[in-house]
Amino acid sequence: MANVRYRFQKPGLISAAVALLAATLATLAVLQYRWIGQTSDGEREKMQKSVKLAAENLSRDFDRELTRTYLEMQIDSTSFERKDWENYALRFHRWKTTAAYPKLVGKVFVADNERGTLHLSAYDETKQRFEETTWLPQFARVKSEIERDLSGAEKNCKVEFLAPDIPALIIPISTVNLLDLQNVQVSSAQNESQIRNLVRCSGYTIVLLDSDYIESELFPLLVSRYFNSAVNDEDSHYDVTVVNRTEPPQIIYQSDSPALPETLDKGDAESDLFALRFDEIQSLLSAAPRLQKQSPTSEEKQERAVSVSVLIAPQSGSNSAMTAAGALFGDERGRWQLIARHRNSSLEAAVETMRQRNLIVSFGILLLLATSGILLVVLSNRSRNFARRQTNFVASVTHELRTPLAVIRAASENIADGIIADNAEIREYGILIKDEERRLSAMVEQVLEFAGAQTANRQHYENRRENIAVMVRAALGDYKSELEDRGFQVVLEIESDLPEIRADREALRRAIGNLVGNAVKYAGEIREKRRLEISVRAAPDKMSKQVEIVVKDNGAGIEKYDLPHIFKLFYRGRKAAESQIKGSGIGLSLVKQIVEAHGGKISVVSETGRGSTFALRLPAATDSDLDGIFTHQNL
């Protein structure tokens, strides 16, 4: 793009529009920044609520099934003493066929202290009864606690219902079966002794959960359900980790890359799970009577008429109160903890990334609008400048055409009217007419060449092998009279044995002649010091032979500001315009076009007040070059 300076003479419509556009864009930028900030805050709050709700729903879903399993896997003391496994088998079968996650339970055991010895029996689903087995290694801690509990006289169920070190439910075999209760009320004012007197243990049911199923199937299913709508965890925006509340924490499940120990307490949302939920017990109990096999006996009816209030001890309560509450329903916080973290390190970082992306897009659009406005103003000014140059070009060409026509008309009228009768004067007038006619023809050719170059951006040249020395002499001869009239000292140096070039003779002659004409037009003030040097020599190149034509003058020179633009169409230097030197601004543009059409290059070196040096480099003809017509495409 041309380095053109634009100046408005006075504030007008365009300057007002530019100011309005700048003010509007600035206002939009400020408002956009605020709106995006507010939107990001709202999105942050929405995402926080969403991930917290997802964590809570996942925990509630898991714990609800855990609570349901706890209630339906109970064995009352009467059935246990009678070894009546038929009713339990029916209940187990019903649970397995109606449970949401029937693979959750891996194995069911019964621990009792019959005849003073602690026994462990495993439930055989095929035989529908419990059969004695050996203690598993992972039951070591549970075994010691059960043994300590059942060996006492009171047997009031002090063992916690949720095993702390393994995924298992420890259900007391007591005088009260929670499935038979018709009403459960949650109260913090109930006396501990009522609970102890009501519930006494004769053994424990150990429901061992399938940890492999929980890790590989259940948690991936729940994470997919509550944290994303896709099937695979890779499509979720959150990494979910479930850890055991032990020291140090043990990872139960993780949805993505391994969690570092120091990041286990830095989630965007946390939720407790693996707990028996009090708020689910009433709804689960309401459906429990349907699982009974047959009508109860009168003795059983009397047992079921009991109404129980459950004591929930506060976290800061006494040890005995904590024991009573824990013995009945386990740790209220949950044995496990779910930690959800956004995959972009944190939810805050994700929101900030989204905010920055929105800002980039928004400000990019504003920048595009601002750039478009600036380009519109620049192009508008360029169009006006180009139109002004075209007008000046037409005026300049018209003036220069009139000058030789006026000279030719005056000279011809003098001869025709008989004013000039002397042979010597007639000869002088003939030479004048000839020179003006040559000048007029050159000008017409230049305008026609410009018009042809602008038509569909194509210019056709005749391709012939030419002697460059002949063309240089011909171009110099075209300006012989002007050079003599202006008192130029002309120095022509042409090397011998120059290679031929492939060129259009007339086009290249006009190009060289244009440089000679410019030297005459911009000659120095002192007539005696006017000098024009033209040299033609071979210029070997790395790839091929070349011919170099150098045109040097000692005229006014070109200012540094104008130097990069002199080959642009309609461009005229400031000094030439101020001095009102005749010119159209298309000469050097056509010279550059002609030289490049012939595969050459043009360069210029100039210094104000010391003249200019133009160098044309053209490739030498090769043996494979043929005559013909080639077309130059202006880009």
Side-chain angles (χ1 to χ4, degrees):
M1 184 182 291
N3 185 14
V4 181
R5 292 182 293 186
Y6 301 95
R7 182 179 64 184
F8 295 96
Q9 299 296 330
K10 60 181 180 179
L13 183 60
I14 295 181
S15 58
V18 171
L20 180 60
L21 176 63
T24 302
L25 291 178
T27 303
L28 286 176
V30 173
L31 294 177
Q32 194 75 9
Y33 183 83
R34 293 180 179 177
W35 290 338
I36 290 177
Q38 294 173 357
T39 303
S40 299
D41 293 340
E43 186 66 23
R44 181 188 297 106
E45 184 178 354
K46 177 182 176 181
M47 291 175 67
Q48 288 174 343
K49 290 181 178 179
S50 176
V51 67
K52 288 180 180 179
L53 180 62
E56 291 174 359
N57 287 339
L58 188 150
S59 298
R60 179 173 293 276
D61 192 346
F62 182 85
D63 287 349
R64 176 183 175 86
E65 192 62 23
L66 198 68
T67 305
R68 183 174 186 269
T69 302
Y70 176 89
L71 292 176
E72 299 199 16
M73 291 295 174
Q74 293 183 84
I75 301 176
D76 63 273
S77 58
T78 303
S79 299
F80 177 71
E81 292 173 358
R82 297 173 181 174
K83 307 299 181 185
D84 181 13
W85 306 128
E86 186 178 357
N87 187 45
Y88 184 82
L90 177 61
R91 192 186 328 146
F92 185 90
H93 176 72
R94 291 284 184 89
W95 169 84
K96 192 169 185 178
T97 55
T98 59
Y101 314 113
K103 295 182 181 180
L104 179 63
V105 175
K107 199 75 174 175
V108 180
F109 300 89
V110 168
D112 67 283
N113 195 15
E114 188 177 0
R115 297 181 303 277
T117 303
L118 191 64
H119 297 278
L120 183 71
S121 301
Y123 180 72
D124 189 329
E125 188 177 357
T126 304
K127 298 179 180 181
Q128 297 186 350
R129 67 172 180 266
F130 286 90
E131 295 186 346
E132 188 170 350
T133 185
T134 58
W135 283 90
L136 302 179
Q138 59 264 42
F139 286 168
R141 181 174 176 179
V142 173
K143 178 184 178 183
S144 63
E145 293 182 357
I146 293 176
E147 190 172 20
R148 183 178 63 251
D149 189 6
L150 297 182
S151 62
E154 295 183 356
K155 298 183 179 181
N156 52 1
C157 302
K158 294 181 180 180
V159 179
E160 295 186 6
F161 283 11
L162 302 177
D165 54 347
I166 57 174
L169 302 176
I170 314 298
I171 310 173
I173 301 174
S174 65
T175 56
V176 176
N177 187 344
L178 292 181
L179 282 175
D180 298 332
L181 301 182
Q182 301 302 315
N183 183 28
V184 174
Q185 297 176 352
V186 178
S187 172
S188 60
Q190 186 62 271
N191 193 304
E192 175 190 352
S193 61
Q194 292 179 307
I195 301 294
R196 291 183 177 274
N197 294 331
L198 182 65
V199 181
R200 295 182 181 276
C201 295
S202 57
Y204 286 92
T205 304
I206 303 175
V207 181
L208 181 64
L209 306 182
D210 190 338
S211 57
D212 291 336
Y213 166 74
I214 292 174
E215 179 181 2
S216 61
E217 295 186 40
L218 181 55
F219 275 137
L221 175 65
L222 295 177
V223 169
S224 175
R225 177 182 300 170
Y226 293 108
F227 283 90
N228 62 294
S229 58
V231 177
N232 298 321
D233 288 343
E234 289 76 6
D235 297 327
S236 175
H237 294 298
Y238 292 92
D239 294 330
V240 178
T241 304
V242 178
V243 296
N244 196 339
R245 293 185 185 277
T246 57
E247 291 296 337
Q250 297 178 354
I251 295 178
I252 306 299
Y253 165 79
Q254 52 192 16
S255 62
D256 198 17
S257 57
L260 300 176
E262 60 270 16
T263 64
L264 291 179
D265 58 346
K266 297 179 181 179
D268 295 311
E270 299 176 4
S271 179
D272 298 322
L273 72 161
F274 204 89
L276 301 178
R277 291 184 176 265
F278 299 101
D279 54 349
E280 298 288 350
I281 292 177
Q282 184 65 58
S283 62
L284 291 172
L285 287 176
S286 63
R290 292 179 297 175
L291 300 177
Q292 300 298 323
K293 174 185 176 183
Q294 57 189 5
S295 300
T297 64
S298 58
E299 182 181 357
E300 290 172 342
K301 288 181 178 179
Q302 183 177 0
E303 291 178 355
R304 294 175 191 174
V306 179
S307 178
V308 176
S309 296
V310 180
L311 171 66
I312 304 177
Q315 294 293 335
S316 58
S318 64
N319 293 335
S320 60
M322 283 294 293
T323 302
L328 192 58
F329 286 107
D331 190 352
E332 190 176 322
R333 287 198 312 162
R335 294 297 189 190
W336 295 347
Q337 183 182 31
L338 182 147
I339 303 171
R341 284 183 302 274
H342 199 279
R343 293 196 171 183
N344 289 346
S345 72
S346 69
L347 188 145
E348 290 289 337
V351 173
E352 183 61 24
T353 300
M354 181 177 63
R355 177 177 177 272
Q356 292 178 357
R357 183 171 61 247
N358 291 338
L359 284 175
I360 291 174
V361 173
S362 299
F363 282 104
I365 294 174
L366 293 179
L367 180 61
L368 179 62
L369 291 174
T371 304
S372 301
I374 293 173
L375 287 177
L376 184 62
V377 174
V378 170
L379 292 176
S380 176
N381 281 276
R382 288 195 64 187
S383 298
R384 290 194 299 169
N385 290 337
F386 193 75
R388 185 177 64 252
R389 289 178 183 178
Q390 285 183 318
T391 303
N392 294 338
F393 165 71
V394 173
S396 176
V397 169
T398 303
H399 178 74
E400 293 199 22
L401 288 174
R402 285 177 177 175
T403 300
L405 286 174
V407 172
I408 293 173
R409 183 177 59 186
S412 60
E413 287 179 352
N414 288 340
I415 295 175
D417 294 340
I419 298 176
I420 305 300
D422 185 69
N423 290 335
E425 290 181 346
I426 292 175
R427 178 180 179 82
E428 184 178 348
Y429 267 73
I431 294 174
L432 177 62
I433 293 173
K434 182 180 178 181
D435 291 341
E436 293 299 326
E437 183 274 333
R438 185 187 300 115
R439 177 183 173 188
L440 182 61
S441 297
M443 195 176 303
V444 171
E445 288 294 330
Q446 190 179 55
V447 173
L448 291 176
E449 186 168 7
F450 165 73
Q454 298 305 306
T455 303
N457 274 348
R458 292 179 181 272
Q459 181 65 37
H460 301 280
Y461 297 99
E462 293 186 2
N463 177 20
R464 300 181 184 277
R465 298 173 69 95
E466 299 289 349
N467 188 322
I468 187 62
V470 174
M471 283 190 288
V472 171
R473 289 191 178 95
L476 193 58
D478 292 338
Y479 289 87
K480 180 179 179 181
S481 59
E482 285 90 339
L483 292 169
E484 291 177 351
D485 290 343
R486 302 293 298 274
F488 268 86
Q489 178 186 357
V490 179
V491 178
L492 178 61
E493 296 180 358
I494 300 178
E495 285 187 359
S496 59
D497 300 327
L498 286 174
E500 292 183 327
I501 63 171
R502 180 177 60 88
D504 184 296
R505 180 189 304 173
E506 294 301 322
L508 198 56
R509 175 178 174 177
R510 287 194 298 272
I512 300 171
N514 194 291
L515 297 179
V516 175
N518 283 346
V520 175
K521 186 183 300 184
Y522 300 101
E525 297 295 335
I526 303 176
R527 181 182 178 90
E528 291 75 13
K529 292 185 178 181
R530 293 172 181 171
R531 180 181 176 89
L532 176 64
E533 299 178 9
I534 300 178
S535 61
V536 186
R537 57 179 179 268
D541 188 71
K542 294 181 180 180
M543 302 298 295
S544 62
K545 291 182 179 181
Q546 292 187 344
V547 176
E548 184 178 55
I549 307 166
V550 178
V551 180
K552 180 180 179 182
D553 63 69
N554 60 349
I558 305 171
E559 294 183 351
K560 289 184 178 181
Y561 173 80
D562 296 323
L563 201 57
H565 313 296
I566 59 174
F567 294 110
K568 295 176 181 177
L569 191 61
F570 297 138
Y571 187 86
R572 300 200 69 206
R574 291 182 299 179
K575 191 172 182 179
E578 292 171 358
S579 302
Q580 296 185 348
I581 298 176
K582 297 177 182 180
S584 59
I586 65 172
L588 290 178
S589 175
L590 290 176
V591 171
K592 183 174 184 293
Q593 176 184 304
I594 292 171
V595 171
E596 290 180 349
H598 287 77
K601 295 181 180 180
I602 183 172
S603 60
V604 58
V605 177
S606 183
E607 185 177 351
T608 305
R610 304 190 64 177
S612 305
T613 301
F614 289 85
L616 283 65
R617 280 203 170 199
L618 299 169
T622 62
D623 295 337
S624 60
D625 289 334
L626 301 174
D627 293 345
I629 296 178
F630 66 96
T631 300
H632 173 62
Q633 176 73 47
N634 290 328
L635 300 178

